[in-house]
């Protein structure tokens, strides 16, 4: 009898424990509506109960093209050219900059970007992101990596010392919005040849009213990345994103002054390699230096930052730099660590490792 009583007590205790665990489990997860999201309908009331008092009557023409609802700020016939943009996405008053790269640029301080050229391993990316750079220049112009691999790397350590940055392949809505939706805070656009292209790159980088970026979501909106920034991601990213446009061709030099003056362009990059490639002259020759100085003058006149390779960190007025790749950083680090022991491998006389 005693054994039966003990067994019943154990079963009852187990059942109470399971019930308590089940009733407490939901409290450990925040309700879905509290999680940052780009979905404007995520916080609606229960389906079927929401009312839309200003909606067009069912089956009837509301004449919205010519007549605005009562209380609308935009009245008269609809015209995009005269539309007054609303304040729904204004940043809160006195919002502070939360992107450290933008903050340094605004102060005129020198900014460095470490290049992740070929790695897809998040551990390698995070090592570079915590090595001391200001941002990571994730290379997408001269690499066959896909955006899924980039997104995985960025979300592994979003709060590393260096913020996620990228050089996209070209001026394109898909390229730039993939980068931003994945969490990029620095966007580098190569081979900008004209004022029109500079404006297009700006348009895909910024949300309205400055640009035309779509509010479609992505991991940038997640609380694990930028969804919890002060003031909210959508409302503050226009003030925090950094757009660097590269001038690399003779056509770009021709429009350099106008490119630098496009609202939203944070910096122009004097492309050391491709300005030589497209001009036919090497660094140090008068014709090459003239090309670099054209970009320099455009930045100075526009009052924006001037970028170049890390080797130019002592060149006048350059405050933004691209540093070497992850493989170069490994080689430099090992050489510094080993000192005189570096490259002292044994030298067999035979076999595939004979040197």
């Amino acid at each position: 009898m005693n054994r039966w009583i003990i067994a019943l007590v154990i079963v009852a205790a187990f059942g109470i424990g399971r019930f308590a665990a089940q009733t407490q489990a939901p409290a450990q997860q925040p309700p879905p509506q509290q999680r940052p999201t780009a979905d404007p309908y995520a916080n609606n009331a229960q389906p079927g109960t929401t009312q839309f008092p200003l909606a067009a009557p069912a089956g009837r023409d509301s004449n919205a093209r010519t007549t605005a609802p009562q209380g609308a700020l935009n009245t008269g016939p609809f015209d995009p050219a005269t539309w007054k943009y609303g304040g729904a996405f204004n940043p809160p008053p006195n919002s502070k900059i939360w992107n450290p790269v933008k903050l340094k640029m605004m102060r005129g301080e020198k900014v460095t970007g470490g290049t992740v050229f070929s790695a897809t391993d998040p551990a390698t990316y995070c090592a570079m992101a915590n090595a001391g750079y200001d941002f990571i220049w994730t290379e997408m112009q001269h690499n066959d990596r896909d955006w899924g691999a980039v997104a995985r790397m960025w979300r592994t350590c979003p709060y590393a010392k260096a913020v996620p940055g990228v050089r996209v392949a070209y001026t394109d809505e898909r390229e730039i919005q993939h980068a931003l939706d994945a969490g990029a805070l620095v966007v580098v656009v190569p081979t900008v040849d004209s004022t029109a292209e500079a404006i297009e790159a700006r348009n895909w980088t910024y949300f309205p009213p400055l640009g035309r970026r779509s509010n479609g979501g992505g991991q940038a909106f997640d609380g694990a990345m930028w969804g919890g920034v002060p003031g909210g991601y959508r409302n503050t990213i226009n003030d925090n994103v950094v757009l660097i446009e590269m001038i690399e061709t003779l056509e770009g030099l021709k429009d350099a002054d106008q490119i630098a003056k496009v609202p939203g362009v944070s910096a122009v990059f004097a492309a050391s390699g491709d300005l030589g490639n497209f001009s036919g002259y090497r660094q140090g020759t008068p014709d090459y230096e003239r090309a670099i100085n054209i970009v320099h003058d455009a930045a100075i006149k526009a009052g924006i930052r001037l970028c170049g390779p890390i080797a130019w960190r002592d060149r006048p007025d350059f405050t933004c730099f691209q540093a070497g790749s992850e493989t170069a950083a490994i080689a430099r680090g090992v050489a510094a660590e080993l000192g005189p022991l570096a490259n002292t491998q044994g030298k067999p006389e035979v076999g595939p490792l004979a040197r």
Side-chain angles (χ1 to χ4, degrees):
M1 179 64 69
N2 288 340
R3 288 198 299 270
W4 283 105
I5 294 173
I6 293 171
L8 287 172
V9 169
I10 292 172
V11 170
F14 178 73
I16 293 171
R18 286 193 61 187
F19 176 78
Q22 291 171 354
T23 56
Q24 292 173 7
Q28 297 173 358
Q29 295 291 330
Q33 64 269 22
Q34 293 180 3
R35 298 170 186 164
T37 175
D39 181 4
Y41 303 107
N43 300 324
N44 270 9
Q46 294 181 356
T49 64
T50 306
Q51 300 297 313
F52 300 93
L54 296 178
R60 288 170 47 195
D61 186 342
S62 68
N63 298 315
R65 184 170 293 278
T66 57
T67 306
Q70 185 176 359
L73 182 61
N74 292 279
T75 58
F78 172 76
D79 184 358
T82 60
W83 186 266
K84 301 178 182 67
Y85 192 76
F89 299 105
N90 288 348
N94 303 315
S95 290
K96 294 183 178 180
I97 299 298
W98 49 265
N99 178 359
V101 175
K102 187 64 171 282
L103 195 62
K104 286 187 74 175
M105 281 191 161
M106 292 170 64
R107 294 171 176 169
E109 299 171 1
K110 292 187 177 182
V111 171
T112 58
T115 305
V116 171
F117 191 89
S118 56
T120 57
D121 177 26
T124 303
Y125 169 84
C126 292
M128 284 288 285
N130 282 304
Y133 303 106
D134 293 300
F135 71 96
I136 294 300
W137 176 305
T138 309
E139 182 57 49
M140 294 296 281
Q141 182 188 20
H142 295 293
N143 187 271
D144 59 2
R145 201 170 18 215
D146 62 34
W147 284 109
V150 173
R152 282 191 295 275
M153 291 192 298
W154 290 355
R155 69 171 172 257
T156 301
C157 53
Y159 307 142
K161 295 176 183 178
V163 304
V166 63
R167 174 161 65 176
V168 296
Y170 50 92
T171 302
D172 176 72
E173 177 180 5
R174 181 183 186 276
E175 284 291 294
I176 295 174
Q177 293 202 152
H178 269 63
L180 292 164
D181 288 348
L185 296 183
V186 179
V187 177
V188 183
V189 182
T191 56
V192 176
D193 289 336
S194 65
T195 309
E197 187 175 356
I199 293 172
E200 183 181 3
R202 186 277 313 276
N203 283 347
W204 302 131
T205 301
Y206 289 87
F207 283 120
L210 181 58
R212 292 174 51 81
R213 180 185 171 190
S214 171
N215 191 22
Q219 70 180 27
F221 292 83
D222 292 347
M225 286 201 78
W226 316 125
V229 297
Y233 176 79
R234 169 60 183 86
N235 293 54
T236 62
I237 188 58
N238 273 11
D239 292 333
N240 282 274
V241 69
V242 170
L243 172 61
I244 302 171
E245 300 200 353
M246 300 187 73
I247 298 179
E248 311 190 62
T249 65
L250 300 182
E251 291 79 10
L253 291 174
K254 179 182 177 182
D255 273 10
D257 286 358
Q258 289 71 39
I259 290 170
K261 291 178 182 176
V262 169
V265 174
S266 309
V268 286
F269 192 108
S272 57
D274 262 327
L275 277 174
N277 178 43
F278 283 96
S279 71
Y281 295 92
R282 295 189 182 280
Q283 182 173 335
T285 63
D287 293 273
Y288 179 94
E289 297 301 325
R290 181 185 185 186
I292 300 300
N293 290 341
I294 288 173
V295 184
H296 166 276
D297 297 347
I300 296 301
K301 286 183 280 190
I304 62 173
R305 299 300 160 204
L306 178 59
C307 303
I310 191 67
W312 292 358
R313 57 184 174 271
D314 296 324
R315 191 169 180 135
D317 296 320
F318 279 77
T319 60
C320 164
F321 307 100
Q322 179 193 14
S325 68
E326 70 275 33
T327 52
I330 291 170
R332 289 194 304 271
V334 171
E337 181 181 37
L338 295 182
L341 294 178
N343 297 310
T344 58
Q345 297 85 3
K347 297 177 175 61
E349 295 181 2
V350 297
L353 299 179
R355 293 178 174 85

